[in-house]
Structures are given as structure tokens and as C-alpha cells.
Amino acid sequence: AAKIYADINCGEYGFAAKFNAAECNYVALVAASAAAADKKGAPPANTGDLRNNAITLLRDTIKAAPEAERSAPGPAQKKFVHDTEGRAKYMLAGLIQSKTQTKQDATEIAALLSGYEGQYPAMKEKSQDIFEWRLQALNTLGRYDDIERDLRAFLERNKGNSANSDLIKTLGIDFWHQAEEKQAAGDQKGYQQNAKLTEIAYAYFEEMVASKKMQPKNLTGTLSILGKAYMATGDEPKAEAIFSEVVKADP
């Protein structure tokens, strides 16, 4: 199916065919990866070729989207092109994000996902992936001010709401692991910046405990990391208060 779609390059069908070819390669890649993970499965296809073909076609789809949307004959067709562009950006970012990132990869992901949620509301169900991938890319690029702005806005939207607590916990532990990696590599600025981001993320749980919406005994690991982050940024009084809370919760 991918090969057939790839041969369609004309008129209003060309844009949709290009994306369909990309999606066929993407689906085949998912199936091959699943087969590789299952020793009982059939030998997987060449996943490297599938990945490269999908990435190339998705990039071509995104490149063609502005002109395809401009020339679309009506509102429904324009919406289709716009929504397809959003799906293509999500799939491309996911494929790039799933391997070890270089700064070039991170630059592409950050560009793909900049302002994504506002541009593509139809992809709302993927918002957590989008948010997390964008923050990871910005961290790789050392764009700490951009991360802090996005993170504070996200936390403000979720203030007092525990629905996204698992995501916030994941973000915080990722920031802390990156802080430790940067400290080990001798990057003191990166260490302190990631420790600060850990503080911002995990202060959410500190506030939830203070407001009695969460129990400290269920957050001893998270609060301990927050205490370490406070120590890393030189805020020892806050660190001591957090560690005292942890000890009290689980002697």
C-alpha cells in the first residue's frame, strides 16, 4: 500500500497519498517492532528502512501542507489538510524522539511541537506526549527559560487537580536524572538548571501535601528528590523542612 500511495503525486490527491504512504510505513514499523519484541513472531521487516521511509514521507507531507491547505477548494478540505499536518507532525516527532537524540533531532522536535496544542486541537488526546517530548527536546538544547515558562503554565492549569500527577511525577524524575547526568559530566550550570526544574515540578506535590489533598506517606520518594533539588540550588532550609516531613511520614 505504501508503494502504491507513493506513486500518486498529482492534484488534490497527492498530499493525502503522501501522508497515507507515510502512515503505511509507520504501521508496518509498529508491527515489525512488535514482532521483534515477541520471539514467537515472524522475523521483522527491515525496521531501519521502514523508519527512514516514514520519516522522509512525513517530512514531505509537512512541507507540502501549507500549499495544499491554501489551494484546497473548501473549508472541509482545508480542515482535512490542517488536521493531517498535525497528525504528521505528531508521528514524525514520535519517531525522532524514540531514538537517542542529537541536538539536531531536538531542534527539529522543538520546531515541530512549538505551539502545537493551540494549532491542532483535534490532537488533544495526545497532549501529554506532545508536552513531554517538547520539554525533553528543549532540555537537550539547554533552553531552560522556555521549559520553565511551559512547565509553570502547565502546573498553573493543573493547580489542585491530581489528574495529571503521574505525568508531573515523570517530568520531575526526568529533570532530576538529567541533573545528575549533567553533574557527572561536569556541567554545573545544567545541573543547577535541571535541579531548579525539578523543584518547580515537584513543588506541585509539596502544595498538594500542604493543602491535605495528598498524604506525605505516599510521596516519600518524590519529596526526597525535591529535598535533594533544594540542596542542589542552595536552599537548605526548604530541604531540611522537606526531609523532616519525609521522616515524620515514614520513620
Short mmCIF file of all heavy atoms in Angstrom, two decimals, residues 141-208:
data_model
loop_
_atom_site.label_atom_id
_atom_site.label_comp_id
_atom_site.label_asym_id
_atom_site.label_seq_id
_atom_site.Cartn_x
_atom_site.Cartn_y
_atom_site.Cartn_z
N LEU A 141 18.50 21.02 24.27
CA LEU A 141 19.03 22.24 23.66
C LEU A 141 19.46 23.28 24.70
O LEU A 141 20.00 24.33 24.34
CB LEU A 141 17.97 22.86 22.74
CG LEU A 141 17.57 22.00 21.54
CD1 LEU A 141 16.37 22.61 20.83
CD2 LEU A 141 18.73 21.82 20.58
N GLY A 142 19.19 23.00 25.98
CA GLY A 142 19.55 23.95 27.03
C GLY A 142 18.68 25.19 27.06
O GLY A 142 19.09 26.24 27.58
N ARG A 143 17.46 25.08 26.54
CA ARG A 143 16.55 26.23 26.51
C ARG A 143 15.70 26.23 27.78
O ARG A 143 14.49 26.01 27.78
CB ARG A 143 15.69 26.19 25.24
CG ARG A 143 16.48 26.47 23.98
CD ARG A 143 15.75 26.17 22.69
NE ARG A 143 14.46 26.86 22.60
CZ ARG A 143 13.62 26.73 21.57
NH1 ARG A 143 13.95 25.95 20.55
NH2 ARG A 143 12.48 27.36 21.55
N TYR A 144 16.36 26.50 28.90
CA TYR A 144 15.73 26.34 30.21
C TYR A 144 14.63 27.36 30.47
O TYR A 144 13.64 27.03 31.12
CB TYR A 144 16.81 26.42 31.30
CG TYR A 144 17.89 25.37 31.15
CD1 TYR A 144 19.19 25.74 30.84
CD2 TYR A 144 17.59 24.02 31.28
CE1 TYR A 144 20.19 24.79 30.70
CE2 TYR A 144 18.58 23.06 31.14
CZ TYR A 144 19.88 23.45 30.84
OH TYR A 144 20.85 22.50 30.68
N ASP A 145 14.77 28.57 29.96
CA ASP A 145 13.73 29.57 30.17
C ASP A 145 12.42 29.15 29.49
O ASP A 145 11.33 29.35 30.04
CB ASP A 145 14.17 30.93 29.63
CG ASP A 145 15.28 31.56 30.47
OD1 ASP A 145 15.47 31.11 31.61
OD2 ASP A 145 15.93 32.50 29.99
N ASP A 146 12.54 28.57 28.29
CA ASP A 146 11.35 28.10 27.58
C ASP A 146 10.69 26.95 28.33
O ASP A 146 9.45 26.87 28.42
CB ASP A 146 11.72 27.64 26.17
CG ASP A 146 12.13 28.79 25.26
OD1 ASP A 146 11.74 29.93 25.55
OD2 ASP A 146 12.84 28.55 24.27
N ILE A 147 11.52 26.05 28.87
CA ILE A 147 10.97 24.93 29.65
C ILE A 147 10.24 25.46 30.88
O ILE A 147 9.12 25.03 31.18
CB ILE A 147 12.09 23.97 30.09
CG1 ILE A 147 12.80 23.36 28.89
CG2 ILE A 147 11.51 22.85 30.97
CD1 ILE A 147 14.03 22.56 29.26
N GLU A 148 10.88 26.37 31.58
CA GLU A 148 10.27 26.90 32.80
C GLU A 148 8.93 27.58 32.51
O GLU A 148 7.97 27.39 33.26
CB GLU A 148 11.22 27.89 33.48
CG GLU A 148 10.69 28.40 34.82
CD GLU A 148 11.69 29.26 35.57
OE1 GLU A 148 12.90 29.19 35.27
OE2 GLU A 148 11.27 30.00 36.49
N ARG A 149 8.87 28.33 31.43
CA ARG A 149 7.61 29.00 31.06
C ARG A 149 6.51 27.98 30.79
O ARG A 149 5.40 28.08 31.31
CB ARG A 149 7.84 29.86 29.81
CG ARG A 149 6.60 30.64 29.36
CD ARG A 149 6.73 31.11 27.93
NE ARG A 149 6.84 29.99 27.01
CZ ARG A 149 7.84 29.82 26.13
NH1 ARG A 149 8.81 30.70 26.04
NH2 ARG A 149 7.84 28.76 25.34
N ASP A 150 6.83 26.96 29.97
CA ASP A 150 5.83 25.94 29.64
C ASP A 150 5.42 25.14 30.87
O ASP A 150 4.24 24.82 31.06
CB ASP A 150 6.38 24.98 28.58
CG ASP A 150 6.33 25.56 27.17
OD1 ASP A 150 5.93 26.72 27.03
OD2 ASP A 150 6.70 24.84 26.22
N LEU A 151 6.41 24.80 31.70
CA LEU A 151 6.14 23.99 32.88
C LEU A 151 5.28 24.74 33.88
O LEU A 151 4.31 24.19 34.42
CB LEU A 151 7.46 23.58 33.53
CG LEU A 151 7.39 22.69 34.77
CD1 LEU A 151 6.67 21.39 34.46
CD2 LEU A 151 8.80 22.41 35.30
N ARG A 152 5.60 26.02 34.15
CA ARG A 152 4.80 26.81 35.10
C ARG A 152 3.36 26.98 34.59
O ARG A 152 2.41 26.91 35.38
CB ARG A 152 5.46 28.17 35.33
CG ARG A 152 6.72 28.12 36.17
CD ARG A 152 7.19 29.51 36.56
NE ARG A 152 8.45 29.49 37.27
CZ ARG A 152 8.58 29.22 38.56
NH1 ARG A 152 7.52 28.92 39.29
NH2 ARG A 152 9.78 29.24 39.14
N ALA A 153 3.20 27.19 33.28
CA ALA A 153 1.85 27.34 32.72
C ALA A 153 1.06 26.05 32.88
O ALA A 153 -0.13 26.07 33.24
CB ALA A 153 1.94 27.74 31.25
N PHE A 154 1.72 24.92 32.65
CA PHE A 154 1.06 23.62 32.79
C PHE A 154 0.65 23.37 34.24
O PHE A 154 -0.47 22.93 34.53
CB PHE A 154 2.00 22.51 32.32
CG PHE A 154 1.46 21.12 32.50
CD1 PHE A 154 0.54 20.59 31.61
CD2 PHE A 154 1.87 20.33 33.57
CE1 PHE A 154 0.04 19.31 31.78
CE2 PHE A 154 1.38 19.06 33.74
CZ PHE A 154 0.46 18.55 32.84
N LEU A 155 1.56 23.67 35.17
CA LEU A 155 1.26 23.45 36.59
C LEU A 155 0.15 24.37 37.08
O LEU A 155 -0.69 23.98 37.90
CB LEU A 155 2.53 23.66 37.43
CG LEU A 155 3.63 22.63 37.21
CD1 LEU A 155 4.91 23.06 37.91
CD2 LEU A 155 3.20 21.25 37.68
N GLU A 156 0.12 25.58 36.55
CA GLU A 156 -0.93 26.52 36.94
C GLU A 156 -2.29 26.01 36.48
O GLU A 156 -3.29 26.10 37.21
CB GLU A 156 -0.65 27.90 36.33
CG GLU A 156 -1.64 28.98 36.74
CD GLU A 156 -1.67 29.26 38.23
OE1 GLU A 156 -0.61 29.09 38.90
OE2 GLU A 156 -2.74 29.65 38.74
N ARG A 157 -2.33 25.43 35.27
CA ARG A 157 -3.60 24.87 34.76
C ARG A 157 -4.04 23.67 35.59
O ARG A 157 -5.23 23.36 35.63
CB ARG A 157 -3.44 24.45 33.30
CG ARG A 157 -3.30 25.59 32.32
CD ARG A 157 -3.51 25.13 30.88
NE ARG A 157 -2.59 24.10 30.46
CZ ARG A 157 -1.39 24.33 29.93
NH1 ARG A 157 -0.97 25.58 29.77
NH2 ARG A 157 -0.62 23.33 29.56
N ASN A 158 -3.10 22.98 36.21
CA ASN A 158 -3.42 21.77 36.97
C ASN A 158 -3.36 21.97 38.48
O ASN A 158 -3.32 21.00 39.23
CB ASN A 158 -2.47 20.64 36.56
CG ASN A 158 -2.76 20.11 35.18
OD1 ASN A 158 -3.60 19.24 35.00
ND2 ASN A 158 -2.08 20.64 34.17
N LYS A 159 -3.37 23.21 38.91
CA LYS A 159 -3.27 23.51 40.34
C LYS A 159 -4.45 22.89 41.09
O LYS A 159 -5.61 23.12 40.75
CB LYS A 159 -3.26 25.03 40.55
CG LYS A 159 -2.71 25.46 41.89
CD LYS A 159 -2.45 26.96 41.90
CE LYS A 159 -1.76 27.38 43.18
NZ LYS A 159 -1.44 28.81 43.19
N GLY A 160 -4.14 22.10 42.11
CA GLY A 160 -5.18 21.47 42.92
C GLY A 160 -5.86 20.29 42.27
O GLY A 160 -6.76 19.69 42.85
N ASN A 161 -5.42 19.93 41.06
CA ASN A 161 -6.05 18.84 40.32
C ASN A 161 -5.04 17.69 40.21
O ASN A 161 -3.94 17.87 39.69
CB ASN A 161 -6.46 19.33 38.92
CG ASN A 161 -7.06 18.24 38.08
OD1 ASN A 161 -7.32 17.14 38.55
ND2 ASN A 161 -7.28 18.53 36.81
N SER A 162 -5.42 16.52 40.69
CA SER A 162 -4.48 15.39 40.72
C SER A 162 -4.52 14.55 39.45
O SER A 162 -3.81 13.54 39.35
CB SER A 162 -4.78 14.50 41.93
OG SER A 162 -6.10 13.97 41.83
N ALA A 163 -5.31 14.94 38.45
CA ALA A 163 -5.49 14.12 37.25
C ALA A 163 -4.17 13.87 36.52
O ALA A 163 -3.96 12.80 35.95
CB ALA A 163 -6.50 14.78 36.32
N ASN A 164 -3.28 14.87 36.52
CA ASN A 164 -2.02 14.73 35.80
C ASN A 164 -0.82 14.52 36.73
O ASN A 164 0.32 14.79 36.34
CB ASN A 164 -1.78 15.96 34.93
CG ASN A 164 -2.63 15.95 33.67
OD1 ASN A 164 -2.77 14.92 33.01
ND2 ASN A 164 -3.21 17.09 33.33
N SER A 165 -1.08 14.03 37.92
CA SER A 165 0.01 13.88 38.89
C SER A 165 1.06 12.87 38.42
O SER A 165 2.25 13.05 38.68
CB SER A 165 -0.54 13.48 40.26
OG SER A 165 -1.24 12.27 40.20
N ASP A 166 0.64 11.82 37.71
CA ASP A 166 1.61 10.84 37.22
C ASP A 166 2.56 11.47 36.20
O ASP A 166 3.76 11.20 36.22
CB ASP A 166 0.89 9.64 36.59
CG ASP A 166 0.26 8.73 37.62
OD1 ASP A 166 0.61 8.85 38.82
OD2 ASP A 166 -0.59 7.90 37.25
N LEU A 167 2.00 12.30 35.32
CA LEU A 167 2.84 12.98 34.33
C LEU A 167 3.82 13.93 35.02
O LEU A 167 5.01 13.97 34.68
CB LEU A 167 1.98 13.75 33.34
CG LEU A 167 2.74 14.64 32.33
CD1 LEU A 167 3.70 13.81 31.50
CD2 LEU A 167 1.77 15.40 31.45
N ILE A 168 3.34 14.67 36.00
CA ILE A 168 4.20 15.62 36.72
C ILE A 168 5.31 14.86 37.46
O ILE A 168 6.47 15.30 37.50
CB ILE A 168 3.37 16.49 37.68
CG1 ILE A 168 2.37 17.34 36.88
CG2 ILE A 168 4.27 17.38 38.54
CD1 ILE A 168 1.32 18.02 37.73
N LYS A 169 4.95 13.71 38.01
CA LYS A 169 5.96 12.89 38.70
C LYS A 169 7.03 12.43 37.71
O LYS A 169 8.24 12.46 38.00
CB LYS A 169 5.28 11.70 39.35
CG LYS A 169 6.11 11.01 40.42
CD LYS A 169 5.30 9.94 41.15
CE LYS A 169 4.32 10.54 42.13
NZ LYS A 169 3.67 9.52 42.99
N THR A 170 6.59 12.02 36.52
CA THR A 170 7.52 11.58 35.49
C THR A 170 8.43 12.72 35.04
O THR A 170 9.65 12.54 34.88
CB THR A 170 6.76 11.03 34.28
OG1 THR A 170 5.98 9.89 34.69
CG2 THR A 170 7.71 10.60 33.17
N LEU A 171 7.86 13.89 34.84
CA LEU A 171 8.66 15.05 34.42
C LEU A 171 9.72 15.37 35.47
O LEU A 171 10.89 15.61 35.13
CB LEU A 171 7.75 16.26 34.21
CG LEU A 171 6.78 16.21 33.03
CD1 LEU A 171 5.85 17.41 33.06
CD2 LEU A 171 7.54 16.16 31.71
N GLY A 172 9.32 15.36 36.74
CA GLY A 172 10.25 15.69 37.80
C GLY A 172 11.41 14.71 37.89
O GLY A 172 12.57 15.13 38.02
N ILE A 173 11.10 13.42 37.79
CA ILE A 173 12.18 12.43 37.88
C ILE A 173 13.09 12.52 36.66
O ILE A 173 14.32 12.34 36.75
CB ILE A 173 11.63 11.00 38.07
CG1 ILE A 173 12.74 10.05 38.53
CG2 ILE A 173 10.99 10.47 36.81
CD1 ILE A 173 13.29 10.33 39.88
N ASP A 174 12.52 12.85 35.49
CA ASP A 174 13.35 13.04 34.28
C ASP A 174 14.30 14.23 34.47
O ASP A 174 15.49 14.14 34.14
CB ASP A 174 12.47 13.28 33.05
CG ASP A 174 11.81 12.00 32.55
OD1 ASP A 174 12.21 10.91 32.99
OD2 ASP A 174 10.89 12.11 31.72
N PHE A 175 13.76 15.33 35.00
CA PHE A 175 14.61 16.50 35.23
C PHE A 175 15.74 16.16 36.21
O PHE A 175 16.89 16.57 36.01
CB PHE A 175 13.79 17.67 35.79
CG PHE A 175 12.86 18.32 34.80
CD1 PHE A 175 11.58 18.70 35.18
CD2 PHE A 175 13.27 18.57 33.50
CE1 PHE A 175 10.72 19.31 34.28
CE2 PHE A 175 12.41 19.18 32.59
CZ PHE A 175 11.14 19.56 32.98
N TRP A 176 15.40 15.41 37.26
CA TRP A 176 16.41 15.09 38.27
C TRP A 176 17.49 14.16 37.71
O TRP A 176 18.69 14.34 37.97
CB TRP A 176 15.77 14.50 39.51
CG TRP A 176 16.79 14.24 40.59
CD1 TRP A 176 17.18 13.04 41.10
CD2 TRP A 176 17.60 15.22 41.25
NE1 TRP A 176 18.15 13.21 42.03
CE2 TRP A 176 18.43 14.54 42.16
CE3 TRP A 176 17.68 16.60 41.17
CZ2 TRP A 176 19.34 15.20 42.97
CZ3 TRP A 176 18.59 17.27 41.98
CH2 TRP A 176 19.41 16.58 42.86
N HIS A 177 17.08 13.16 36.92
CA HIS A 177 18.06 12.27 36.31
C HIS A 177 18.98 13.04 35.37
O HIS A 177 20.20 12.80 35.32
CB HIS A 177 17.36 11.14 35.55
CG HIS A 177 16.78 10.09 36.43
ND1 HIS A 177 15.80 9.21 36.03
CD2 HIS A 177 17.04 9.77 37.73
CE1 HIS A 177 15.48 8.41 37.02
NE2 HIS A 177 16.23 8.73 38.07
N GLN A 178 18.39 13.99 34.63
CA GLN A 178 19.21 14.82 33.74
C GLN A 178 20.16 15.71 34.54
O GLN A 178 21.30 15.95 34.13
CB GLN A 178 18.30 15.65 32.83
CG GLN A 178 17.63 14.80 31.76
CD GLN A 178 16.38 15.43 31.18
OE1 GLN A 178 15.89 16.46 31.67
NE2 GLN A 178 15.84 14.83 30.14
N ALA A 179 19.69 16.18 35.70
CA ALA A 179 20.57 16.97 36.58
C ALA A 179 21.77 16.13 37.01
O ALA A 179 22.92 16.60 36.97
CB ALA A 179 19.79 17.46 37.80
N GLU A 180 21.51 14.90 37.43
CA GLU A 180 22.60 14.03 37.87
C GLU A 180 23.57 13.72 36.74
O GLU A 180 24.79 13.69 36.94
CB GLU A 180 22.02 12.73 38.44
CG GLU A 180 21.24 12.93 39.75
CD GLU A 180 20.64 11.65 40.27
OE1 GLU A 180 20.11 10.85 39.45
OE2 GLU A 180 20.67 11.43 41.49
N GLU A 181 23.03 13.50 35.54
CA GLU A 181 23.88 13.22 34.38
C GLU A 181 24.78 14.42 34.06
O GLU A 181 25.96 14.27 33.75
CB GLU A 181 23.02 12.86 33.16
CG GLU A 181 22.35 11.50 33.27
CD GLU A 181 21.33 11.27 32.18
OE1 GLU A 181 21.22 12.13 31.26
OE2 GLU A 181 20.64 10.24 32.22
N LYS A 182 24.20 15.61 34.15
CA LYS A 182 24.97 16.81 33.82
C LYS A 182 26.02 17.10 34.90
O LYS A 182 27.12 17.55 34.60
CB LYS A 182 24.02 17.99 33.61
CG LYS A 182 23.25 17.84 32.31
CD LYS A 182 22.23 18.93 32.05
CE LYS A 182 21.51 18.66 30.73
NZ LYS A 182 20.48 19.65 30.41
N GLN A 183 25.68 16.80 36.14
CA GLN A 183 26.67 16.97 37.21
C GLN A 183 27.84 16.01 36.99
O GLN A 183 29.00 16.40 37.14
CB GLN A 183 26.03 16.70 38.57
CG GLN A 183 26.98 16.95 39.74
CD GLN A 183 26.37 16.56 41.08
OE1 GLN A 183 25.68 15.55 41.17
NE2 GLN A 183 26.61 17.36 42.11
N ALA A 184 27.52 14.77 36.62
CA ALA A 184 28.58 13.77 36.37
C ALA A 184 29.46 14.18 35.20
O ALA A 184 30.65 13.85 35.16
CB ALA A 184 27.95 12.40 36.12
N ALA A 185 28.87 14.91 34.23
CA ALA A 185 29.63 15.34 33.06
C ALA A 185 30.36 16.66 33.30
O ALA A 185 31.02 17.17 32.39
CB ALA A 185 28.69 15.48 31.87
N GLY A 186 30.23 17.21 34.51
CA GLY A 186 30.92 18.46 34.83
C GLY A 186 30.18 19.70 34.38
O GLY A 186 30.75 20.80 34.39
N ASP A 187 28.92 19.55 34.00
CA ASP A 187 28.11 20.70 33.56
C ASP A 187 27.35 21.25 34.76
O ASP A 187 26.19 20.88 35.00
CB ASP A 187 27.15 20.24 32.45
CG ASP A 187 26.26 21.37 31.92
OD1 ASP A 187 26.40 22.52 32.39
OD2 ASP A 187 25.41 21.08 31.04
N GLN A 188 27.99 22.12 35.53
CA GLN A 188 27.39 22.62 36.76
C GLN A 188 26.15 23.47 36.47
O GLN A 188 25.16 23.40 37.21
CB GLN A 188 28.42 23.42 37.56
CG GLN A 188 27.96 23.82 38.95
CD GLN A 188 27.73 22.63 39.88
OE1 GLN A 188 28.20 21.51 39.60
NE2 GLN A 188 27.02 22.85 40.98
N LYS A 189 26.20 24.28 35.42
CA LYS A 189 25.04 25.11 35.08
C LYS A 189 23.84 24.24 34.73
O LYS A 189 22.72 24.46 35.21
CB LYS A 189 25.37 26.04 33.91
CG LYS A 189 24.18 26.90 33.49
CD LYS A 189 24.49 27.75 32.27
CE LYS A 189 23.25 28.54 31.83
NZ LYS A 189 23.50 29.33 30.59
N GLY A 190 24.08 23.22 33.89
CA GLY A 190 22.99 22.32 33.52
C GLY A 190 22.45 21.57 34.73
O GLY A 190 21.24 21.34 34.83
N TYR A 191 23.36 21.19 35.65
CA TYR A 191 22.95 20.50 36.88
C TYR A 191 22.00 21.38 37.69
O TYR A 191 20.91 20.94 38.09
CB TYR A 191 24.20 20.17 37.69
CG TYR A 191 23.93 19.71 39.11
CD1 TYR A 191 23.17 18.57 39.36
CD2 TYR A 191 24.47 20.40 40.21
CE1 TYR A 191 22.94 18.13 40.66
CE2 TYR A 191 24.26 19.97 41.50
CZ TYR A 191 23.49 18.84 41.72
OH TYR A 191 23.27 18.41 43.01
N GLN A 192 22.36 22.62 37.89
CA GLN A 192 21.53 23.51 38.71
C GLN A 192 20.23 23.90 38.01
O GLN A 192 19.19 24.01 38.65
CB GLN A 192 22.32 24.75 39.11
CG GLN A 192 23.44 24.43 40.09
CD GLN A 192 24.04 25.68 40.73
OE1 GLN A 192 24.04 26.75 40.14
NE2 GLN A 192 24.56 25.53 41.94
N GLN A 193 20.30 24.06 36.69
CA GLN A 193 19.08 24.40 35.95
C GLN A 193 18.07 23.25 36.00
O GLN A 193 16.88 23.46 36.19
CB GLN A 193 19.43 24.72 34.49
CG GLN A 193 20.15 26.04 34.29
CD GLN A 193 19.22 27.24 34.45
OE1 GLN A 193 18.02 27.10 34.63
NE2 GLN A 193 19.79 28.44 34.39
N ASN A 194 18.55 22.01 35.84
CA ASN A 194 17.64 20.86 35.92
C ASN A 194 17.16 20.63 37.34
O ASN A 194 16.02 20.20 37.54
CB ASN A 194 18.32 19.61 35.35
CG ASN A 194 18.15 19.50 33.85
OD1 ASN A 194 17.15 18.97 33.37
ND2 ASN A 194 19.11 20.02 33.11
N ALA A 195 18.00 20.93 38.33
CA ALA A 195 17.54 20.84 39.71
C ALA A 195 16.43 21.86 39.96
O ALA A 195 15.43 21.56 40.64
CB ALA A 195 18.71 21.09 40.66
N LYS A 196 16.58 23.06 39.39
CA LYS A 196 15.55 24.08 39.54
C LYS A 196 14.24 23.63 38.90
O LYS A 196 13.15 23.83 39.46
CB LYS A 196 16.03 25.39 38.90
CG LYS A 196 15.01 26.53 39.00
CD LYS A 196 15.53 27.78 38.31
CE LYS A 196 14.48 28.90 38.35
NZ LYS A 196 14.96 30.10 37.60
N LEU A 197 14.33 22.99 37.72
CA LEU A 197 13.12 22.49 37.05
C LEU A 197 12.47 21.38 37.87
O LEU A 197 11.24 21.27 37.92
CB LEU A 197 13.47 21.98 35.65
CG LEU A 197 13.93 23.06 34.65
CD1 LEU A 197 14.44 22.41 33.37
CD2 LEU A 197 12.79 24.03 34.33
N THR A 198 13.31 20.56 38.53
CA THR A 198 12.78 19.52 39.43
C THR A 198 12.00 20.17 40.56
O THR A 198 10.91 19.72 40.92
CB THR A 198 13.93 18.68 40.01
OG1 THR A 198 14.73 18.15 38.95
CG2 THR A 198 13.38 17.53 40.85
N GLU A 199 12.56 21.24 41.13
CA GLU A 199 11.87 21.98 42.20
C GLU A 199 10.51 22.47 41.73
O GLU A 199 9.50 22.32 42.43
CB GLU A 199 12.70 23.21 42.61
CG GLU A 199 13.90 22.94 43.44
CD GLU A 199 14.60 24.25 43.79
OE1 GLU A 199 13.99 25.33 43.67
OE2 GLU A 199 15.78 24.20 44.18
N ILE A 200 10.48 23.09 40.56
CA ILE A 200 9.23 23.67 40.05
C ILE A 200 8.18 22.58 39.87
O ILE A 200 7.02 22.74 40.26
CB ILE A 200 9.49 24.41 38.72
CG1 ILE A 200 10.39 25.63 38.97
CG2 ILE A 200 8.18 24.86 38.09
CD1 ILE A 200 10.92 26.26 37.69
N ALA A 201 8.60 21.45 39.29
CA ALA A 201 7.64 20.37 39.05
C ALA A 201 7.16 19.76 40.36
O ALA A 201 5.95 19.59 40.58
CB ALA A 201 8.29 19.29 38.17
N TYR A 202 8.09 19.45 41.26
CA TYR A 202 7.72 18.72 42.48
C TYR A 202 7.17 19.62 43.58
O TYR A 202 6.60 19.11 44.57
CB TYR A 202 8.91 17.92 42.98
CG TYR A 202 9.05 16.58 42.27
CD1 TYR A 202 8.16 16.20 41.28
CD2 TYR A 202 10.07 15.70 42.60
CE1 TYR A 202 8.28 14.98 40.64
CE2 TYR A 202 10.20 14.47 41.97
CZ TYR A 202 9.30 14.12 40.97
OH TYR A 202 9.42 12.91 40.35
N ALA A 203 7.28 20.93 43.42
CA ALA A 203 6.60 21.83 44.36
C ALA A 203 5.09 21.64 44.27
O ALA A 203 4.35 21.93 45.22
CB ALA A 203 6.97 23.27 44.07
N TYR A 204 4.63 21.13 43.12
CA TYR A 204 3.21 20.77 42.96
C TYR A 204 2.80 19.80 44.06
O TYR A 204 1.73 19.95 44.68
CB TYR A 204 3.03 20.15 41.58
CG TYR A 204 1.76 19.35 41.37
CD1 TYR A 204 0.57 19.97 40.96
CD2 TYR A 204 1.75 17.97 41.56
CE1 TYR A 204 -0.58 19.23 40.75
CE2 TYR A 204 0.60 17.23 41.37
CZ TYR A 204 -0.56 17.86 40.97
OH TYR A 204 -1.70 17.13 40.77
N PHE A 205 3.63 18.79 44.33
CA PHE A 205 3.29 17.80 45.36
C PHE A 205 3.43 18.39 46.76
O PHE A 205 2.67 18.04 47.66
CB PHE A 205 4.18 16.56 45.19
CG PHE A 205 3.92 15.81 43.91
CD1 PHE A 205 4.78 15.93 42.84
CD2 PHE A 205 2.80 15.02 43.77
CE1 PHE A 205 4.53 15.26 41.65
CE2 PHE A 205 2.53 14.35 42.60
CZ PHE A 205 3.41 14.47 41.53
N GLU A 206 4.40 19.27 46.92
CA GLU A 206 4.55 19.96 48.21
C GLU A 206 3.28 20.74 48.55
O GLU A 206 2.79 20.70 49.69
CB GLU A 206 5.76 20.90 48.13
CG GLU A 206 6.18 21.51 49.45
CD GLU A 206 7.44 22.35 49.32
OE1 GLU A 206 7.81 22.70 48.18
OE2 GLU A 206 8.04 22.66 50.35
N GLU A 207 2.72 21.40 47.54
CA GLU A 207 1.49 22.17 47.73
C GLU A 207 0.30 21.25 47.98
O GLU A 207 -0.58 21.57 48.80
CB GLU A 207 1.23 23.05 46.51
CG GLU A 207 2.24 24.19 46.35
CD GLU A 207 2.05 24.95 45.06
OE1 GLU A 207 1.06 24.69 44.35
OE2 GLU A 207 2.90 25.81 44.75
N MET A 208 0.27 20.11 47.28
CA MET A 208 -0.84 19.17 47.46
C MET A 208 -0.83 18.58 48.88
O MET A 208 -1.88 18.37 49.49
CB MET A 208 -0.77 18.05 46.42
CG MET A 208 -1.01 18.52 44.99
SD MET A 208 -2.69 19.11 44.67
CE MET A 208 -3.50 17.60 44.19
#
